[in-house]
Structures are given as structure tokens and as C-alpha cells.
Amino acid sequence: MQQQAFEPIYPNPFIAGNPVRSREMFFGREDEFRFIARALEDGRKTALIVLFGERRSGKSSILYQILNRRLGEAFLPFFIDTQIMAGVAGDTEFFSRIITDFCKQLQNDGLPAGRYLAMMKESTATNVFREFLQDLKSHVSGRALLVLIDEYENLEVKIKEGSLSRHVLKFFAGLLETDMVSFVFTGSQTLEAHDHVLWGEELFRKAMSRKIGFLTKDDTTRLITQPVQGKVAFAPEAVAHIYALTAGQPFYTQMICQELVYHLNEEQKYEVTAEDVEKVVAGILENPPPQLLFNWGEHSAERKLALSALAEFSVTPETFLSAPELCRKIARSKLKLDLDANFFNAEFSSLFQEEYLTQKERQYAFRFDLYRQWVRHDHNIWQVQKEIGPARLAQITKTAQVKKEKKKKALKILERTLEAGLALGVIWLVAWLILERKRTVIVQANGGPFSLWVDGDSLGATTGQPDSTRFEIPDGWAAIKNDIFALGSSRSRRPGFKHSLTRDETYTFTAQLIASNEARVKSETIRKDGHLVHFDFTADTLTVITDAASAEIQLGGGSNQIAQSQPEAWQHTFYVCAGDYVLRAKDLQTGEEKRLIVSVPAESKLIKIDFDSVAVLTLTSNVYPFEYQYSLDDARRPRSEPAAARADSILLLRGVPVGAYDFTFINPATDEKLIRMLHVANDTSVSVEFKRKKPPVIKRPEVVVEEPPTGSAARMVDIASDPPGARIFVDGREQGITPRPVPLSDRHHVIKLSKDGYADHSRSIMPGDNSPIHFTLTPQYGHLRLVVQDELGRSLPDVRVFIDNEYLGETPLNEIKLLASRHSLRLYRGSARKDTAVVIPRDDTSKVTLKMMK
């Protein structure tokens, strides 16, 4: 019987590296879709949902599934990829692109984008976008609008660069309040991890977060087998082996399966065994994908050492090691690494949080075995030491010099002990000579309580002390006195005597934060009495908001105290490491005080303190600017405020005492006055509506065009371009900027569009009706080779580079592809800044060399 010819498996159904757009290749995440549907009550409620997680965990793929109607027909989703909005300059261009993209996603079954883009010239971008959403909601009556924003952190970057205004986020919050639209964000962190002042309380109040992690074992099995079902048979041990290699991480599962399909085509077979999986993994280890290389480059030198050390002694996927066990294995090996358990515990704890490692009873192992094998293969412990260099290695490890000093100190102590045994008088004489050089040392940290070690010996912890961020090591004389008075009693010797520190000697200090086990190590040479050793633990941002106009806020010890007396000092930001702190707040106007316990890290990084004697008033008006004045009808404390013009129609008044008020609102354009009486007992609002003036008639500038021939009639025809902003020339005469209606007669016209960075586009047209004319411009590119040097002509790394207010990365950079046009170039190094302009010619490379202070 003749064997049937092998048919290659084509196309390869597995996707590695890009988001999964098709529904057929997406598996699992049912809990996430149910969470989103419940939060939005199937379109009956608006909300902001934040999906966060590590890179390549499948967040963008979830958005594409929602875009493909995974939530059902109750929703009309629209997708915004913030990464492709490079070069956006201002709110108008931002919302113009969104409107254009939304109309494209409607597949020409929606609203004409040109109409709304033209309205941008007569009104603000947010007003036009709001009107667009209202028309869109009417057009798709009965369906809830859902905006999907991928990599939402880029909005914050563009606002801080100046490409967008802060009003954009406030506008999004306003859309949520109007029940017009809901949002689904994806990013690497929750919204609470970002700037509370920038994003605003309204968005924080509406936000619901959901972590996107690894796939379950069942979902991973479906991802492996179903895309090639009917073509490929997987042995059960092969599926189990793939799951052990990836633990359900979507990207690496797709990558192995993609390579398996290539392998089957080469071998001309349809069965996958565990041996086939091993061959594919061996190929991946020999030629790792760029994602693995990029991931390794993001790790710090400390992390690289910790990962390579754990991989070196993890000979099997099931190997779990504690930090002390790993230190003992390193000591017994030929490795010359002096790393202690505190170092490994600190690094392993962070790697566990980011899902590189798994934990069991204070022991750690790699979460997915492919990563363990790759680290052993490409980044073993000897290679990593060369990679980070001897100088950086010396900063991390304990150097031989430190060991030599410890041995020298031990010999000195032995010598002094022998001398002390000769006679009591000699003891006192030697003690006086020795202790003349002893010094009191103060160890301080930015948080506490913490434990302290000196040269590996424990001195205890700061727990129970009045200031848990401070540890004082007394001088030798004070310690000896304490021990003398303690003779014959049950009180133990104070560790200060054993560790009394000598001037001009070098010691290794290790501090470990008790709340998080985070450890820090420093080598210090004692120079004077009261020598200060300071540790900085990882700090978290904590924002305190009060309803007082001016308040004094104190968090923990005196070092964290912030006292504010200027007006509107109602928001305070602290950078605090893990621990429990006493938060004290005092209203400086009324003297009222509040006290509570704050645990860091907390579930919410925003703490609100409401004083009983004051409130926050929200003043709103339908016109702006408006003037207002008010008086407190209270015999105990009468007061009034002068009239004040505001730059917007919403005003917050903080620290307003409770009582009865008379408000007078004035429209400065018409002198209309409105009076409101209000009893203030808690936070409330006062809203007024003035009579509207008739809007002024805006005359459009006349456009001079060539008179049409006799018998022909001119008509207004919309001319648009992609991208917009191109200059329009009709028969050689300039007619404005796209998009724009221009008059055309019933004859042939030559229409030319011109825009910097794009090729000129000309077309001969004879209009037959008022149909719009659309041009697609062809971009022209060049390259920029940027060289940044110090004053001696040496290449300068770690310089942040911005082009047209878009962050591109740090030097050194490869050649940068840019539109052939004029661009603004901005460099930052620390607090130093340098600005210049560059002109990029078409199909050429411009080399720009800039000097900056090192």
C-alpha cells in the first residue's frame, strides 16, 4: 500500500510575540470576561476597568477579543493603541485621531469623520468629541459604548512631556459621570500606583483592577492542542512537559508550539512526543528569541546574580532552595562570591512578586522551567560575573579587603584581652587608651522598625523604641559602665560593648526592614563621634487629602513631618517604606485634630481625612469666568469673601466652616446676579445657571477662487487627507489646511496637497457632485544618528532622548527613523537639559553630535 504524501502544516496557527486577534486562537480568560461583564452590568452601568500584569501576559489579546464582540452585542467596543499615537501634539490632534479611528472601526457604517474634524476649528476638541459620542450613541441606539485603551500609562507620559494637557484625564472622568461611555485600560500596574494628583479622585473612585496572570493547566492544554486539532496528535507526556516548561505563561507556550509546528514539517510527521519537545527547547536555547534577550537586559546586576546563582544549583525543575542553603552551596563550591542570605531573600522576594519564581516554606524555585534552563545555558554564574564587571561586582559582594579587616580586628581583640588579664590597673589603663578612639554611631533609615547587623553579628532591632527609624550604637565607655552595673543581675550584656566602633576603621552594616524583609548593605569608615549611617529602603507613594484649607500633617517620626500654612494646602504626598505609622492631622484654622494608624503598603494609596468642623464646597456655573461672593450668617464668626474671577466653571472651596451662607453669583458678561442660601453641614455643592447670550455670528474668511466659466456652478467640496494638516492648492492657489471645504466649478481642476515629511500629492479632478475628496499622503523618511559626548569627547550613556516630545529611550541608541522634516530634539541627564532642532533629509542619514556635562 502506498503511503500518503506528507502535507505541511501551513499556515502555522501559533502566534508568538504579537497579540492574539482571532477568536479561534484565544483560549481561557473566561473569569476575566465574566468580571468585566459583571462590572458593567451587561451595558447598564459605566465603569473604568484596569487589567494589569507583566509583559506578554495576554492583556492586549483580551482587548482584541472584546473588540471581536466577546462580551456580546450589548456593547460597541472601540480600540485605542496609545503606542501608535507617536508625535501627537496637543489635545486637538489627539481627539482628531480618535474620531478618525473610531469612524474607520465602524467600517463606513457610521458618522463622517470630516464633519467633526472641521468642527475642531470652531470649538474645543473635548466639546467636539463629546458631541461625536452623543451622535454615535444615538446612531447605535441600545448598545453601550466601550473604549479600550492599550498601555494606558503612555497617557501619563504624554501629559508629563507636554504633548497632552491634564484636562484629557479630567474629561474622561466627566464622561464616566455622564454614563455615556465605559473604559477598559491595560497596563503593567494598577491605577493606584500612579500619580493621584494627575489622574484625579474621580477616576480612582470609579476604577476596578484585575490582575492578568498565567493560564490554568486546562486552558494551557487547550491552547496547545486545539489549534492543530485533527492534524497533530500530542502524547500526554508531551503536553505535561510543555506545561512544566511554561507553567501556562501564554507567550512562551505559543513560542514552543510555534517551533514544534516547524519541527513537524521538517520531520514530515504529525505526532508530538516528549523527545520532540526536548529537541525544540534545545533549539530555542541555542537561538533565543529577542523577547528573552530584552527581558534579561531589564534586570539589575543584583537580580542577574541572584537568578544565575539559583539556576546554577537548581539541577532539576523541582529544586527548591532557601537563601541560607544557597549561601552554603556557594561556600562549598569554587565560586568566589561572598553574598549573604539577606541579599538573596531581598532579590527572591521581588522576583516572586513578578512571577519569575515560586515559593514554598521560605524556599524558592523557578516558576517556569524554560527560564531556568535558558539562564543556566546562556547566563551561568561565571558569565554573569564577567557581564556585570569587577567594579560593579565589588559593590555588591563583600570584598577580600573587608575580610582582612575583620581578621585584623579579631587579632586586636585577642591581644587586648590577654593584656587585660595581667592586672586590674592595666585593664583600666588599656581600656582608657583603647576607648579614647571609640565612637558612638547612629544608624538611621527612611522607615522602620528594622534589624541591624555589623560585620554579620546581630545588634537587635528597633522594635519598641520611640523612633523606630533610628538605632544608636553607644561608644565603648558607655557600654562598659552598663555592663559593670549589670554584674550579678539577670540583665544581659548590651551589644554596644561588643560592637563599640573604632575611629578610622571600616565596618559592614546590614539593615533589614522587618515589615517586608527588604535588606540593604553598606560599608562605612567611622570618622567622628556621632557618625551617621543612613539606609534608604524602597519607598511607596502615599497621598493624604484633607478638607481643610491649611493643615499640619505628620506621618511617623519627625523626619516625615510636613506642616503647611499657605492657602489650599490640602494635599500632601509622602514617600514611605513598608511598616505601620501613626498619622496625625491638625486643621490649622480650627485646631481640630485627627489620629489614625496607617499600614504601608496599603490597599489604597489615597487617605482621606474629613474634619468635622469644616467642609468642601463645590461651586459650578454654566458660564465662565464667573464671579462670586459669600458671607457666613453666624454671630460667632462673621466673614465675607471678595469677588474673584475664575478660569473655569468649577471651583472647590476647602476649609469652609459649617453654618448658614448667602451666596451671590455674578455673570461679568451680563451683570446678571443670582442669590443662593445654603446651610453647610458637610461636603456639598452650589450650582447656578445664568441666562445665555446669543452667540456672536462668526464670519468665515472669504476664499478667493477663479471664477467658473459661464454656465457652470461652483459647489463646496470637502477635501481631507490622511494624515490631516496638509496645505491645499487648487489650480496653483492655496485654499487652506485639510480637512476643509473648498469651492469647485464643473470643470477640470488640479488639486495639490503638501505637508512636511510627506510627498506632494497632485490629482486632476472634475467634480460631478458634492462627494468629499480624500487623499492618502505617502510619508518620506530619513534617519538620525545621534552621538552624545561629554566635555572630553567620550560617549555619554544614560541620556534620555525626546524627539517632538516623544520619549525614545536612553543613549546609546541605534539609528532613528524619522519623517523627512524638521524635528525638535531634547536631551536630559539628571537635572541638565539640552534643546536643539534637526532637519532630516529624505532617504539620507543625518549625524548630530551634541555635548553635555558629565
Side-chain angles (χ1 to χ4, degrees):
M1 181 176 180
Q2 187 177 3
Q3 186 177 2
Q4 186 176 1
F6 175 81
E7 294 184 5
I9 305 168
Y10 183 83
N12 194 326
F14 293 100
I15 305 168
N18 296 320
V20 179
R21 298 173 183 261
S22 67
R23 189 163 184 171
E24 294 75 14
M25 280 301 297
F26 187 89
F27 300 93
R29 306 301 189 191
E30 296 300 330
D31 289 343
E32 278 68 34
F33 292 123
R34 282 194 292 270
F35 169 78
I36 296 172
R38 285 198 302 267
L40 300 175
E41 295 182 2
D42 292 326
R44 297 187 298 273
K45 177 183 176 183
T46 58
L48 166 60
I49 299 170
V50 181
L51 306 179
F52 70 98
E54 299 300 320
R55 290 179 178 175
R56 293 177 290 277
S57 59
K59 303 184 297 296
S60 300
S61 299
I62 292 177
L63 292 190
Y64 281 112
Q65 298 310 304
I66 297 175
L67 190 64
N68 290 336
R69 305 294 194 268
R70 187 62 177 267
L71 296 180
E73 294 303 317
F75 297 95
L76 181 61
F78 293 94
F79 188 87
I80 299 176
D81 188 351
T82 58
Q83 290 185 336
I84 67 172
M85 289 208 172
V88 166
D91 297 357
T92 299
E93 187 173 354
F94 175 74
F95 284 107
S96 297
R97 288 200 187 184
I98 293 178
I99 291 175
T100 303
D101 286 347
F102 280 18
C103 290
K104 287 181 179 179
Q105 293 177 42
L106 284 171
Q107 299 179 345
N108 299 324
D109 186 25
L111 307 172
R115 172 187 167 217
Y116 299 97
L117 300 182
M119 291 170 60
M120 295 283 187
K121 300 176 182 179
E122 308 295 337
S123 183
T124 62
T126 51
N127 287 340
V128 174
F129 186 65
R130 184 184 289 108
E131 183 172 341
F132 169 76
L133 290 178
Q134 291 171 346
D135 294 345
L136 181 59
K137 198 169 181 65
S138 301
H139 184 74
V140 294
S141 177
R143 301 178 70 183
L145 301 182
L146 186 59
V147 176
L148 316 173
I149 301 183
D150 199 17
E151 303 294 344
Y152 78 94
E153 290 100 339
N154 288 331
L155 295 177
E156 181 172 337
V157 173
K158 291 186 177 297
I159 290 173
K160 291 183 177 180
E161 291 174 357
S163 301
L164 292 178
S165 71
R166 297 186 176 209
H167 185 64
V168 170
L169 300 180
K170 184 178 180 181
F171 174 70
F172 284 164
L175 292 179
L176 285 171
E177 295 294 338
T178 61
D179 294 335
M180 187 179 297
V181 64
S182 294
F183 295 89
V184 179
F185 288 176
T186 67
S188 59
Q189 294 179 308
T190 63
L191 193 63
E192 289 78 8
H194 293 279
D195 188 339
H196 284 242
V197 178
L198 181 64
W199 288 90
E201 184 179 349
E202 294 83 0
L203 287 177
F204 281 102
R205 188 173 62 250
K206 283 273 189 178
M208 292 181 286
S209 300
R210 179 86 170 185
K211 184 174 183 179
I212 307 301
F214 288 19
L215 295 174
T216 64
K217 188 173 183 179
D218 290 341
D219 288 337
T220 306
T221 302
R222 285 193 290 271
L223 173 59
I224 295 170
T225 59
Q226 289 188 10
V228 289
Q229 193 171 19
K231 295 181 180 179
V232 177
F234 283 85
E237 60 270 18
V239 176
H241 192 20
I242 296 174
Y243 184 73
L245 286 165
T246 68
Q249 209 285 341
F251 167 76
Y252 293 110
T253 303
Q254 292 259 21
M255 180 182 68
I256 291 177
C257 292
Q258 186 181 58
E259 294 299 322
L260 274 172
V261 171
Y262 296 142
H263 172 74
L264 293 176
N265 287 338
E266 291 176 1
E267 297 291 326
Q268 296 191 1
K269 65 176 188 175
Y270 299 110
E271 299 83 20
V272 177
T273 65
E275 290 76 15
D276 293 317
V277 177
E278 280 298 323
K279 290 180 182 179
V280 165
V281 170
I284 292 174
L285 296 180
E286 290 297 330
N287 298 284
Q291 290 85 350
L292 271 174
L293 303 177
F294 178 77
N295 172 274
W296 184 259
E298 286 188 317
H299 289 316
S300 64
E302 290 85 353
R303 275 195 173 190
K304 291 177 180 178
L305 275 175
L307 285 169
S308 61
L310 183 61
E312 180 66 28
F313 296 99
S314 298
V315 294
T316 66
E318 298 81 13
T319 301
F320 278 81
L321 292 174
S322 66
E325 288 174 332
L326 185 57
C327 289
R328 288 193 293 270
K329 288 180 178 292
I330 292 174
R332 290 194 296 265
S333 70
K334 296 181 180 180
L335 294 173
K336 296 181 180 179
L337 278 179
D338 194 0
L339 298 171
D340 59 15
N342 292 329
F343 168 83
F344 286 114
N345 276 326
E347 297 302 325
F348 288 166
S349 176
S350 175
L351 290 165
F352 169 72
Q353 294 297 326
E354 297 183 20
E355 298 187 310
Y356 287 96
L357 303 181
T358 185
Q359 183 183 12
K360 182 175 67 176
E361 297 178 354
R362 301 289 291 176
Q363 293 180 318
Y364 296 89
F366 282 85
R367 177 74 182 269
F368 50 102
D369 195 54
L370 179 67
Y371 202 73
R372 177 191 69 87
Q373 293 188 37
W374 178 69
V375 173
R376 285 177 62 89
H377 185 275
D378 277 17
H379 298 284
N380 62 52
I381 190 66
W382 293 274
Q383 291 170 322
V384 169
Q385 292 183 68
K386 293 179 181 179
E387 181 181 338
I388 66 179
R392 186 72 181 95
L393 186 63
Q395 294 176 353
I396 300 173
T397 61
K398 295 180 179 179
T399 62
Q401 182 62 32
V402 173
K403 292 184 177 180
K404 184 178 179 181
E405 292 294 332
K406 288 176 64 177
K407 186 176 180 180
K408 181 180 178 181
K409 286 195 299 178
L411 291 175
K412 285 184 178 180
I413 293 174
L414 177 60
E415 179 183 354
R416 290 166 184 168
T417 303
L418 293 175
E419 293 175 352
L422 297 177
L424 183 60
V426 177
I427 291 175
W428 284 108
L429 178 60
V430 172
W432 181 82
L433 292 174
I434 295 175
L435 296 177
E436 185 187 28
R437 300 181 64 230
K438 299 300 179 182
R439 295 293 179 261
T440 296
V441 176
I442 299 170
V443 181
Q444 196 163 6
N446 62 335
F450 63 88
S451 302
L452 182 66
W453 290 263
V454 175
D455 286 347
D457 294 327
S458 174
L459 269 69
T462 61
T463 306
Q465 298 183 10
D467 185 357
S468 61
T469 65
R470 177 186 173 97
F471 196 115
E472 182 172 324
I473 305 174
D475 62 55
W477 179 250
I480 282 181
K481 289 193 296 182
N482 289 334
D483 286 332
I484 291 174
F485 291 128
L487 289 177
S489 69
S490 60
R491 192 172 70 171
S492 62
R493 289 165 58 95
R494 290 188 57 180
F497 174 60
K498 181 180 178 182
H499 296 283
S500 56
L501 306 182
T502 305
R503 185 185 63 191
D504 298 329
E505 296 287 345
T506 302
Y507 300 88
T508 298
F509 295 83
T510 302
Q512 183 175 14
L513 192 63
I514 292 177
S516 63
N517 291 330
E518 180 183 1
R520 289 286 186 267
V521 180
K522 273 190 176 183
S523 291
E524 291 275 339
T525 301
I526 308 305
R527 298 300 185 190
K528 60 181 181 179
D529 196 42
H531 184 97
L532 178 63
V533 181
H534 185 79
F535 288 95
D536 281 316
F537 294 111
T538 302
D540 210 351
T541 304
L542 194 67
T543 302
V544 180
I545 293 179
T546 74
D547 54 358
S550 58
E552 178 183 277
I553 308 294
Q554 181 177 332
L555 183 66
S559 60
N560 286 326
Q561 179 173 336
I562 292 183
Q564 301 282 6
S565 57
Q566 66 269 27
E568 297 299 328
W570 49 272
Q571 180 162 310
H572 313 272
T573 300
F574 298 91
Y575 298 94
V576 192
C577 58
D580 294 331
Y581 299 86
V582 177
L583 177 65
R584 302 176 182 86
K586 180 180 180 181
D587 186 345
L588 297 179
Q589 294 183 104
T590 65
E592 183 182 355
E593 294 187 5
K594 295 280 186 177
R595 182 181 182 276
L596 64 152
I597 303 297
V598 177
S599 295
V600 179
E603 293 183 3
S604 174
K605 298 182 181 180
L606 180 66
I607 298 176
K608 294 181 63 176
I609 299 180
D610 292 328
F611 292 102
D612 300 329
S613 56
V614 295
V616 177
L617 290 183
T618 304
L619 309 182
T620 61
S621 168
N622 63 332
V623 300
Y624 68 92
F626 66 91
E627 297 179 354
Y628 71 94
Q629 59 186 19
Y630 66 92
S631 60
L632 177 63
D633 185 13
D634 189 337
R636 292 182 293 105
R637 189 168 44 181
R639 55 181 292 184
S640 63
E641 295 290 338
R646 308 300 298 183
D648 52 42
S649 59
I650 300 177
L651 175 65
L652 293 180
L653 299 179
R654 290 185 172 269
V656 177
V658 297
Y661 285 84
D662 290 330
F663 281 89
T664 302
F665 292 84
I666 305 171
N667 184 348
T670 62
D671 290 331
E672 179 186 0
K673 294 185 178 180
L674 299 176
I675 298 175
R676 297 288 185 270
M677 291 177 288
L678 184 69
H679 180 78
V680 177
N682 47 31
D683 296 352
T684 186
S685 62
V686 182
S687 180
V688 296
E689 288 196 12
F690 294 104
K691 296 177 181 178
R692 289 284 193 178
K693 292 179 62 178
K694 292 184 178 181
V697 179
I698 301 176
K699 294 184 178 181
R700 295 179 177 271
E702 296 183 358
V703 179
V704 179
V705 298
E706 184 179 342
E707 290 294 333
T710 304
S712 63
R715 66 190 74 220
M716 300 301 292
V717 178
D718 289 332
I719 297 180
S721 66
D722 186 12
R727 299 166 63 193
I728 306 172
F729 295 87
V730 178
D731 299 331
R733 294 188 178 183
E734 186 170 356
Q735 300 288 342
I737 304 296
T738 60
R740 181 182 179 86
V742 299
L744 299 176
S745 60
D746 292 335
R747 65 178 183 81
H748 282 285
H749 294 276
V750 177
I751 299 178
K752 173 184 174 183
L753 266 63
S754 179
K755 182 177 175 66
D756 286 346
Y758 296 83
D760 291 347
H761 194 119
S762 298
R763 191 187 301 175
S764 179
I765 291 177
M766 181 173 181
D769 52 26
N770 290 7
S771 299
I773 303 172
H774 186 272
F775 292 80
T776 299
L777 303 182
T778 302
Q780 295 178 318
Y781 295 102
H783 289 81
L784 170 65
R785 183 183 175 194
L786 178 63
V787 179
V788 184
Q789 299 176 342
D790 61 14
E791 59 273 14
L792 299 179
R794 297 172 297 190
S795 295
L796 202 57
D798 304 327
V799 177
R800 291 174 292 154
V801 180
F802 294 81
I803 292 185
D804 299 331
N805 291 323
E806 179 182 2
Y807 177 63
L808 295 186
E810 295 183 349
T811 58
L813 295 173
N814 296 325
E815 286 190 355
I816 305 167
K817 184 179 179 181
L818 297 171
L819 286 174
S821 180
R822 182 183 177 88
H823 300 272
S824 63
L825 175 63
R826 178 172 295 172
L827 306 179
Y828 288 96
R829 181 178 173 84
S831 59
R833 167 178 163 180
K834 191 175 188 68
D835 293 272
T836 187
V838 294
V839 177
I840 305 299
R842 173 186 174 186
D843 298 330
D844 200 358
T845 298
S846 297
K847 180 179 178 181
V848 177
T849 302
L850 298 174
K851 300 282 188 180
M852 289 191 74
M853 297 294 292
K854 185 174 181 180

